[in-house]
Amino acid sequence: MADFPAADLLQFLGNTQIFQGLESADLTSLGQLACRQSYGKGDSIFLQGEQAGGFFIVVSGRVKVFKLSGHGREQILHIFGEGDHFAEVPAFDGDCFPASATAIEQIELLFFPRQHFLTLLEQNPHLAINLVKSFARHLRRFSQLVDNLSLREVPSRLAAYLLNSSHQGDRIELDVSKGQLAAMLGTVPETLSRAFYKLDREGIITIKGATIDVCDRARLEALTT
């Protein structure tokens, strides 16, 4: 593949969760299947309802996978970054994409055509096990999303997001816009802003631009229960 030396490609593939533990020969076969794709910020990768011809791995940049309501309201299902893979399920069951995907920023993807990949999968049990683990992670993520949207109010969803984002320290640098975060949390920007303001006013967090400091982790955790 152009602009991606073979050795670098194999190392990249070997470091992704879906391909970890595979032999060099298998990674070489995967590298031969991969098609490199580039998208600019805001470009559509696929739309809900389109036929799925394969799945993707993010080389650089970020992708949002989302659904739209009949009124045009967006619910972001997940944001994928470097090394993440997405759209595996429709690629394997032969059905249509159940959601849409758009580039948040300039991105590079690797696309793996469905039929050729299925042939390789039949020959490699290790790869099949990795896929089962991948599907389990996706299922757990969607289960958490359903719990958040159906069982928690917006302040509780925001608290859970902040806690998950601050597991390595009490300072969080938001890497998504407030509008995108609102769509991830199943609300609208105005309601999210009120939730942020309430947490800030009560001294649980402080906000300065895109920087958020967690000041009272115990009270933040209490909001999620």
Side-chain angles (χ1 to χ4, degrees):
M1 292 168 51
D3 302 322
F4 209 144
D8 292 346
L9 175 60
L10 296 188
Q11 182 177 15
F12 174 80
L13 292 175
N15 287 334
T16 61
Q17 287 185 328
I18 196 172
F19 298 141
Q20 283 180 356
L22 297 187
E23 298 292 335
S24 177
D26 295 320
L27 294 175
T28 298
S29 297
L30 287 164
Q32 292 170 347
L33 290 179
C35 303
R36 189 147 187 187
Q37 300 180 349
S38 299
Y39 296 87
K41 180 179 180 180
D43 286 351
S44 174
I45 300 165
F46 55 77
L47 295 175
Q48 180 177 335
E50 289 183 348
Q51 190 66 36
F55 73 99
F56 304 83
I57 294 180
V58 182
V59 177
S60 63
R62 289 180 299 162
V63 174
K64 68 173 180 179
V65 174
F66 63 97
K67 294 180 74 72
L68 288 177
S69 72
H71 300 290
R73 179 172 168 178
E74 181 180 273
Q75 172 64 57
I76 294 179
L77 303 178
H78 197 66
I79 292 178
F80 295 94
E82 181 179 338
D84 290 335
H85 42 88
F86 63 99
E88 307 98 316
V89 174
F92 294 131
D93 67 13
D95 210 338
C96 299
F97 290 115
S100 301
T102 296
I104 293 179
E105 55 206 19
Q106 178 72 34
I107 60 169
E108 298 285 338
L109 301 177
L110 294 177
F111 173 73
F112 294 86
R114 176 176 185 267
Q115 196 55 55
H116 293 300
F117 186 82
L118 290 179
T119 299
L120 183 61
L121 182 63
E122 292 174 354
Q123 302 167 356
N124 195 311
H126 199 139
L127 180 55
I129 292 173
N130 282 0
L131 279 173
V132 171
K133 292 179 180 177
S134 171
F135 292 154
R137 286 191 294 268
H138 288 331
L139 181 61
R140 186 180 298 275
R141 182 186 303 130
F142 284 125
S143 176
Q144 292 171 344
L145 178 62
V146 170
D147 285 347
N148 281 336
L149 296 180
S150 61
L151 302 177
R152 290 176 171 172
E153 299 299 325
V154 173
S156 180
R157 297 177 210 165
L158 176 57
Y161 174 84
L162 294 175
L163 286 170
N164 184 61
S165 300
S166 63
H167 61 278
Q168 293 183 336
D170 290 332
R171 173 158 292 184
I172 304 163
E173 298 290 344
L174 286 181
D175 58 357
V176 295
S177 69
K178 293 288 181 63
Q180 289 168 342
L181 180 55
M184 290 173 64
L185 299 181
T187 187
V188 295
E190 294 78 9
T191 302
L192 178 64
S193 293
R194 288 195 292 270
F196 266 123
Y197 174 75
K198 184 175 186 294
L199 295 179
D200 183 78
R201 184 185 59 192
E202 294 179 357
I204 298 175
I205 64 173
T206 59
I207 307 172
K208 186 175 182 180
T211 302
I212 300 171
D213 288 304
V214 177
C215 303
D216 194 329
R217 183 172 292 271
R219 292 174 65 194
L220 195 63
E221 289 174 345
L223 288 173
T224 66
T225 59

mmCIF file of all heavy atoms in Angstrom, residues 29-67:
data_model
loop_
_atom_site.group_PDB
_atom_site.id
_atom_site.type_symbol
_atom_site.label_atom_id
_atom_site.label_comp_id
_atom_site.label_asym_id
_atom_site.label_seq_id
_atom_site.Cartn_x
_atom_site.Cartn_y
_atom_site.Cartn_z
ATOM 1 N N SER A 29 -1.014 -11.583 5.073
ATOM 2 C CA SER A 29 -2.231 -11.823 4.290
ATOM 3 C C SER A 29 -3.254 -10.722 4.519
ATOM 4 O O SER A 29 -3.911 -10.256 3.581
ATOM 5 C CB SER A 29 -2.833 -13.183 4.656
ATOM 6 O OG SER A 29 -1.944 -14.234 4.331
ATOM 7 N N LEU A 30 -3.381 -10.291 5.771
ATOM 8 C CA LEU A 30 -4.313 -9.204 6.092
ATOM 9 C C LEU A 30 -3.883 -7.904 5.422
ATOM 10 O O LEU A 30 -4.709 -7.154 4.900
ATOM 11 C CB LEU A 30 -4.388 -9.012 7.613
ATOM 12 C CG LEU A 30 -5.143 -10.092 8.380
ATOM 13 C CD1 LEU A 30 -4.835 -10.011 9.866
ATOM 14 C CD2 LEU A 30 -6.646 -9.955 8.140
ATOM 15 N N GLY A 31 -2.568 -7.649 5.455
ATOM 16 C CA GLY A 31 -2.052 -6.439 4.823
ATOM 17 C C GLY A 31 -2.334 -6.399 3.340
ATOM 18 O O GLY A 31 -2.578 -5.335 2.763
ATOM 19 N N GLN A 32 -2.356 -7.565 2.719
ATOM 20 C CA GLN A 32 -2.639 -7.637 1.290
ATOM 21 C C GLN A 32 -4.125 -7.399 0.999
ATOM 22 O O GLN A 32 -4.484 -6.963 -0.101
ATOM 23 C CB GLN A 32 -2.202 -8.997 0.747
ATOM 24 C CG GLN A 32 -0.692 -9.194 0.762
ATOM 25 C CD GLN A 32 -0.271 -10.621 0.446
ATOM 26 O OE1 GLN A 32 -1.100 -11.535 0.444
ATOM 27 N NE2 GLN A 32 1.011 -10.816 0.172
ATOM 28 N N LEU A 33 -4.972 -7.659 1.992
ATOM 29 C CA LEU A 33 -6.403 -7.412 1.824
ATOM 30 C C LEU A 33 -6.769 -5.948 2.029
ATOM 31 O O LEU A 33 -7.742 -5.448 1.462
ATOM 32 C CB LEU A 33 -7.205 -8.241 2.837
ATOM 33 C CG LEU A 33 -7.262 -9.754 2.672
ATOM 34 C CD1 LEU A 33 -8.091 -10.351 3.789
ATOM 35 C CD2 LEU A 33 -7.846 -10.122 1.320
ATOM 36 N N ALA A 34 -5.993 -5.275 2.867
ATOM 37 C CA ALA A 34 -6.372 -3.932 3.320
ATOM 38 C C ALA A 34 -6.328 -2.910 2.191
ATOM 39 O O ALA A 34 -5.393 -2.878 1.384
ATOM 40 C CB ALA A 34 -5.445 -3.503 4.456
ATOM 41 N N CYS A 35 -7.345 -2.066 2.163
ATOM 42 C CA CYS A 35 -7.413 -0.948 1.212
ATOM 43 C C CYS A 35 -7.391 0.353 2.018
ATOM 44 O O CYS A 35 -8.220 0.537 2.916
ATOM 45 C CB CYS A 35 -8.694 -1.010 0.395
ATOM 46 S SG CYS A 35 -8.931 -2.534 -0.527
ATOM 47 N N ARG A 36 -6.450 1.220 1.698
ATOM 48 C CA ARG A 36 -6.340 2.465 2.442
ATOM 49 C C ARG A 36 -7.327 3.490 1.904
ATOM 50 O O ARG A 36 -7.479 3.648 0.688
ATOM 51 C CB ARG A 36 -4.932 3.018 2.364
ATOM 52 C CG ARG A 36 -4.707 4.198 3.318
ATOM 53 C CD ARG A 36 -3.304 4.218 3.830
ATOM 54 N NE ARG A 36 -3.109 5.233 4.850
ATOM 55 C CZ ARG A 36 -1.946 5.528 5.361
ATOM 56 N NH1 ARG A 36 -0.883 4.889 4.945
ATOM 57 N NH2 ARG A 36 -1.830 6.437 6.293
ATOM 58 N N GLN A 37 -8.001 4.188 2.830
ATOM 59 C CA GLN A 37 -8.982 5.204 2.460
ATOM 60 C C GLN A 37 -8.734 6.468 3.273
ATOM 61 O O GLN A 37 -8.394 6.392 4.452
ATOM 62 C CB GLN A 37 -10.407 4.700 2.706
ATOM 63 C CG GLN A 37 -10.769 3.451 1.916
ATOM 64 C CD GLN A 37 -12.178 2.984 2.177
ATOM 65 O OE1 GLN A 37 -12.860 3.443 3.101
ATOM 66 N NE2 GLN A 37 -12.657 2.049 1.365
ATOM 67 N N SER A 38 -8.934 7.615 2.651
ATOM 68 C CA SER A 38 -8.764 8.903 3.314
ATOM 69 C C SER A 38 -10.072 9.680 3.248
ATOM 70 O O SER A 38 -10.774 9.656 2.234
ATOM 71 C CB SER A 38 -7.652 9.723 2.646
ATOM 72 O OG SER A 38 -6.410 9.054 2.714
ATOM 73 N N TYR A 39 -10.387 10.388 4.355
ATOM 74 C CA TYR A 39 -11.586 11.213 4.419
ATOM 75 C C TYR A 39 -11.242 12.534 5.108
ATOM 76 O O TYR A 39 -10.436 12.574 6.041
ATOM 77 C CB TYR A 39 -12.698 10.518 5.213
ATOM 78 C CG TYR A 39 -13.201 9.236 4.594
ATOM 79 C CD1 TYR A 39 -12.576 8.019 4.863
ATOM 80 C CD2 TYR A 39 -14.300 9.232 3.752
ATOM 81 C CE1 TYR A 39 -13.035 6.835 4.301
ATOM 82 C CE2 TYR A 39 -14.771 8.051 3.180
ATOM 83 C CZ TYR A 39 -14.129 6.861 3.467
ATOM 84 O OH TYR A 39 -14.582 5.691 2.913
ATOM 85 N N GLY A 40 -11.878 13.602 4.647
ATOM 86 C CA GLY A 40 -11.722 14.893 5.297
ATOM 87 C C GLY A 40 -12.744 15.084 6.403
ATOM 88 O O GLY A 40 -13.706 14.311 6.526
ATOM 89 N N LYS A 41 -12.537 16.102 7.208
ATOM 90 C CA LYS A 41 -13.455 16.400 8.308
ATOM 91 C C LYS A 41 -14.871 16.577 7.783
ATOM 92 O O LYS A 41 -15.114 17.324 6.839
ATOM 93 C CB LYS A 41 -13.005 17.676 9.023
ATOM 94 C CG LYS A 41 -13.896 18.073 10.192
ATOM 95 C CD LYS A 41 -13.373 19.322 10.862
ATOM 96 C CE LYS A 41 -14.264 19.732 12.033
ATOM 97 N NZ LYS A 41 -13.759 20.977 12.702
ATOM 98 N N GLY A 42 -15.809 15.846 8.393
ATOM 99 C CA GLY A 42 -17.202 15.931 8.003
ATOM 100 C C GLY A 42 -17.612 15.004 6.883
ATOM 101 O O GLY A 42 -18.812 14.897 6.570
ATOM 102 N N ASP A 43 -16.662 14.301 6.272
ATOM 103 C CA ASP A 43 -16.993 13.380 5.181
ATOM 104 C C ASP A 43 -17.736 12.152 5.715
ATOM 105 O O ASP A 43 -17.413 11.627 6.782
ATOM 106 C CB ASP A 43 -15.732 12.910 4.455
ATOM 107 C CG ASP A 43 -15.130 13.979 3.572
ATOM 108 O OD1 ASP A 43 -15.782 15.022 3.381
ATOM 109 O OD2 ASP A 43 -14.007 13.765 3.072
ATOM 110 N N SER A 44 -18.706 11.694 4.948
ATOM 111 C CA SER A 44 -19.442 10.490 5.300
ATOM 112 C C SER A 44 -18.669 9.254 4.854
ATOM 113 O O SER A 44 -18.157 9.192 3.730
ATOM 114 C CB SER A 44 -20.820 10.503 4.625
ATOM 115 O OG SER A 44 -21.503 9.278 4.844
ATOM 116 N N ILE A 45 -18.561 8.284 5.750
ATOM 117 C CA ILE A 45 -17.899 7.013 5.433
ATOM 118 C C ILE A 45 -18.939 5.997 4.954
ATOM 119 O O ILE A 45 -18.730 5.300 3.969
ATOM 120 C CB ILE A 45 -17.140 6.489 6.663
ATOM 121 C CG1 ILE A 45 -16.088 7.516 7.084
ATOM 122 C CG2 ILE A 45 -16.486 5.134 6.375
ATOM 123 C CD1 ILE A 45 -15.527 7.282 8.455
ATOM 124 N N PHE A 46 -20.053 5.925 5.655
ATOM 125 C CA PHE A 46 -21.195 5.149 5.189
ATOM 126 C C PHE A 46 -22.441 5.673 5.892
ATOM 127 O O PHE A 46 -22.360 6.360 6.912
ATOM 128 C CB PHE A 46 -21.017 3.644 5.434
ATOM 129 C CG PHE A 46 -20.721 3.243 6.850
ATOM 130 C CD1 PHE A 46 -21.717 3.214 7.818
ATOM 131 C CD2 PHE A 46 -19.434 2.866 7.224
ATOM 132 C CE1 PHE A 46 -21.436 2.824 9.124
ATOM 133 C CE2 PHE A 46 -19.146 2.480 8.523
ATOM 134 C CZ PHE A 46 -20.150 2.464 9.474
ATOM 135 N N LEU A 47 -23.597 5.338 5.324
ATOM 136 C CA LEU A 47 -24.877 5.785 5.858
ATOM 137 C C LEU A 47 -25.695 4.595 6.337
ATOM 138 O O LEU A 47 -25.588 3.486 5.790
ATOM 139 C CB LEU A 47 -25.673 6.540 4.790
ATOM 140 C CG LEU A 47 -25.071 7.856 4.290
ATOM 141 C CD1 LEU A 47 -25.909 8.416 3.150
ATOM 142 C CD2 LEU A 47 -24.965 8.871 5.427
ATOM 143 N N GLN A 48 -26.494 4.834 7.344
ATOM 144 C CA GLN A 48 -27.397 3.802 7.836
ATOM 145 C C GLN A 48 -28.255 3.277 6.690
ATOM 146 O O GLN A 48 -28.804 4.040 5.902
ATOM 147 C CB GLN A 48 -28.286 4.388 8.927
ATOM 148 C CG GLN A 48 -29.286 3.416 9.522
ATOM 149 C CD GLN A 48 -30.093 4.038 10.646
ATOM 150 O OE1 GLN A 48 -29.645 4.992 11.290
ATOM 151 N NE2 GLN A 48 -31.284 3.519 10.884
ATOM 152 N N GLY A 49 -28.340 1.951 6.573
ATOM 153 C CA GLY A 49 -29.146 1.340 5.527
ATOM 154 C C GLY A 49 -28.372 0.935 4.298
ATOM 155 O O GLY A 49 -28.878 0.151 3.488
ATOM 156 N N GLU A 50 -27.135 1.439 4.130
ATOM 157 C CA GLU A 50 -26.313 1.028 3.000
ATOM 158 C C GLU A 50 -25.805 -0.398 3.203
ATOM 159 O O GLU A 50 -25.601 -0.843 4.339
ATOM 160 C CB GLU A 50 -25.120 1.969 2.834
ATOM 161 C CG GLU A 50 -25.482 3.349 2.337
ATOM 162 C CD GLU A 50 -24.252 4.234 2.126
ATOM 163 O OE1 GLU A 50 -23.152 3.840 2.576
ATOM 164 O OE2 GLU A 50 -24.412 5.298 1.515
ATOM 165 N N GLN A 51 -25.600 -1.093 2.105
ATOM 166 C CA GLN A 51 -25.080 -2.450 2.187
ATOM 167 C C GLN A 51 -23.644 -2.422 2.696
ATOM 168 O O GLN A 51 -22.825 -1.613 2.256
ATOM 169 C CB GLN A 51 -25.118 -3.126 0.814
ATOM 170 C CG GLN A 51 -24.831 -4.613 0.850
ATOM 171 C CD GLN A 51 -25.906 -5.396 1.592
ATOM 172 O OE1 GLN A 51 -27.089 -5.063 1.508
ATOM 173 N NE2 GLN A 51 -25.503 -6.429 2.310
ATOM 174 N N ALA A 52 -23.337 -3.303 3.640
ATOM 175 C CA ALA A 52 -22.002 -3.351 4.238
ATOM 176 C C ALA A 52 -21.105 -4.266 3.421
ATOM 177 O O ALA A 52 -21.381 -5.455 3.289
ATOM 178 C CB ALA A 52 -22.077 -3.840 5.683
ATOM 179 N N GLY A 53 -20.022 -3.715 2.888
ATOM 180 C CA GLY A 53 -19.118 -4.519 2.086
ATOM 181 C C GLY A 53 -17.872 -4.950 2.813
ATOM 182 O O GLY A 53 -17.035 -5.681 2.271
ATOM 183 N N GLY A 54 -17.704 -4.506 4.076
ATOM 184 C CA GLY A 54 -16.515 -4.839 4.842
ATOM 185 C C GLY A 54 -16.457 -4.019 6.113
ATOM 186 O O GLY A 54 -17.432 -3.345 6.473
ATOM 187 N N PHE A 55 -15.326 -4.062 6.804
ATOM 188 C CA PHE A 55 -15.185 -3.306 8.044
ATOM 189 C C PHE A 55 -13.909 -2.464 7.984
ATOM 190 O O PHE A 55 -13.128 -2.543 7.040
ATOM 191 C CB PHE A 55 -15.188 -4.224 9.267
ATOM 192 C CG PHE A 55 -13.934 -5.023 9.457
ATOM 193 C CD1 PHE A 55 -12.955 -4.620 10.348
ATOM 194 C CD2 PHE A 55 -13.729 -6.202 8.751
ATOM 195 C CE1 PHE A 55 -11.792 -5.357 10.516
ATOM 196 C CE2 PHE A 55 -12.583 -6.950 8.921
ATOM 197 C CZ PHE A 55 -11.606 -6.523 9.805
ATOM 198 N N PHE A 56 -13.697 -1.645 9.012
ATOM 199 C CA PHE A 56 -12.659 -0.626 8.982
ATOM 200 C C PHE A 56 -11.795 -0.655 10.244
ATOM 201 O O PHE A 56 -12.262 -1.033 11.316
ATOM 202 C CB PHE A 56 -13.289 0.771 8.893
ATOM 203 C CG PHE A 56 -14.225 0.962 7.736
ATOM 204 C CD1 PHE A 56 -15.550 0.543 7.819
ATOM 205 C CD2 PHE A 56 -13.790 1.560 6.561
ATOM 206 C CE1 PHE A 56 -16.423 0.731 6.753
ATOM 207 C CE2 PHE A 56 -14.652 1.750 5.492
ATOM 208 C CZ PHE A 56 -15.972 1.328 5.586
ATOM 209 N N ILE A 57 -10.549 -0.223 10.077
ATOM 210 C CA ILE A 57 -9.657 0.068 11.204
ATOM 211 C C ILE A 57 -9.149 1.488 11.021
ATOM 212 O O ILE A 57 -8.783 1.892 9.919
ATOM 213 C CB ILE A 57 -8.477 -0.910 11.274
ATOM 214 C CG1 ILE A 57 -8.970 -2.320 11.585
ATOM 215 C CG2 ILE A 57 -7.464 -0.475 12.341
ATOM 216 C CD1 ILE A 57 -7.864 -3.358 11.664
ATOM 217 N N VAL A 58 -9.144 2.245 12.117
ATOM 218 C CA VAL A 58 -8.691 3.632 12.065
ATOM 219 C C VAL A 58 -7.167 3.676 12.162
ATOM 220 O O VAL A 58 -6.584 3.192 13.135
ATOM 221 C CB VAL A 58 -9.297 4.463 13.213
ATOM 222 C CG1 VAL A 58 -8.842 5.926 13.111
ATOM 223 C CG2 VAL A 58 -10.820 4.377 13.200
ATOM 224 N N VAL A 59 -6.523 4.256 11.154
ATOM 225 C CA VAL A 59 -5.073 4.455 11.179
ATOM 226 C C VAL A 59 -4.729 5.755 11.898
ATOM 227 O O VAL A 59 -3.822 5.815 12.727
ATOM 228 C CB VAL A 59 -4.492 4.478 9.743
ATOM 229 C CG1 VAL A 59 -2.989 4.764 9.770
ATOM 230 C CG2 VAL A 59 -4.766 3.161 9.042
ATOM 231 N N SER A 60 -5.474 6.810 11.597
ATOM 232 C CA SER A 60 -5.268 8.094 12.268
ATOM 233 C C SER A 60 -6.566 8.884 12.203
ATOM 234 O O SER A 60 -7.397 8.668 11.319
ATOM 235 C CB SER A 60 -4.132 8.889 11.606
ATOM 236 O OG SER A 60 -4.461 9.219 10.262
ATOM 237 N N GLY A 61 -6.737 9.803 13.157
ATOM 238 C CA GLY A 61 -7.955 10.588 13.213
ATOM 239 C C GLY A 61 -9.036 9.893 14.013
ATOM 240 O O GLY A 61 -8.803 8.860 14.650
ATOM 241 N N ARG A 62 -10.252 10.460 13.970
ATOM 242 C CA ARG A 62 -11.366 9.903 14.739
ATOM 243 C C ARG A 62 -12.632 9.860 13.890
ATOM 244 O O ARG A 62 -12.863 10.705 13.034
ATOM 245 C CB ARG A 62 -11.614 10.734 16.001
ATOM 246 C CG ARG A 62 -10.522 10.586 17.061
ATOM 247 C CD ARG A 62 -10.839 11.436 18.267
ATOM 248 N NE ARG A 62 -10.908 12.855 17.910
ATOM 249 C CZ ARG A 62 -11.502 13.777 18.666
ATOM 250 N NH1 ARG A 62 -12.083 13.434 19.798
ATOM 251 N NH2 ARG A 62 -11.519 15.044 18.279
ATOM 252 N N VAL A 63 -13.448 8.856 14.186
ATOM 253 C CA VAL A 63 -14.698 8.604 13.474
ATOM 254 C C VAL A 63 -15.828 8.529 14.486
ATOM 255 O O VAL A 63 -15.677 7.904 15.543
ATOM 256 C CB VAL A 63 -14.622 7.268 12.704
ATOM 257 C CG1 VAL A 63 -15.966 6.925 12.088
ATOM 258 C CG2 VAL A 63 -13.543 7.309 11.644
ATOM 259 N N LYS A 64 -16.954 9.151 14.172
ATOM 260 C CA LYS A 64 -18.135 8.967 15.019
ATOM 261 C C LYS A 64 -19.126 8.072 14.300
ATOM 262 O O LYS A 64 -19.373 8.213 13.096
ATOM 263 C CB LYS A 64 -18.779 10.308 15.380
ATOM 264 C CG LYS A 64 -19.416 11.059 14.224
ATOM 265 C CD LYS A 64 -20.165 12.299 14.722
ATOM 266 C CE LYS A 64 -20.804 13.059 13.558
ATOM 267 N NZ LYS A 64 -21.547 14.252 14.020
ATOM 268 N N VAL A 65 -19.666 7.108 15.034
ATOM 269 C CA VAL A 65 -20.730 6.241 14.543
ATOM 270 C C VAL A 65 -21.998 6.662 15.268
ATOM 271 O O VAL A 65 -22.010 6.753 16.505
ATOM 272 C CB VAL A 65 -20.407 4.761 14.792
ATOM 273 C CG1 VAL A 65 -21.592 3.878 14.403
ATOM 274 C CG2 VAL A 65 -19.167 4.351 14.003
ATOM 275 N N PHE A 66 -23.066 6.927 14.521
ATOM 276 C CA PHE A 66 -24.244 7.553 15.123
ATOM 277 C C PHE A 66 -25.518 7.127 14.402
ATOM 278 O O PHE A 66 -25.496 6.581 13.298
ATOM 279 C CB PHE A 66 -24.102 9.080 15.045
ATOM 280 C CG PHE A 66 -24.060 9.617 13.632
ATOM 281 C CD1 PHE A 66 -25.200 10.108 13.014
ATOM 282 C CD2 PHE A 66 -22.880 9.610 12.907
ATOM 283 C CE1 PHE A 66 -25.166 10.582 11.709
ATOM 284 C CE2 PHE A 66 -22.832 10.093 11.600
ATOM 285 C CZ PHE A 66 -23.979 10.573 11.005
ATOM 286 N N LYS A 67 -26.638 7.418 15.069
ATOM 287 C CA LYS A 67 -27.952 7.224 14.483
ATOM 288 C C LYS A 67 -28.694 8.556 14.530
ATOM 289 O O LYS A 67 -28.442 9.376 15.423
ATOM 290 C CB LYS A 67 -28.748 6.147 15.231
ATOM 291 C CG LYS A 67 -28.144 4.744 15.117
ATOM 292 C CD LYS A 67 -28.961 3.717 15.876
ATOM 293 C CE LYS A 67 -30.247 3.368 15.180
ATOM 294 N NZ LYS A 67 -30.024 2.557 13.960
#
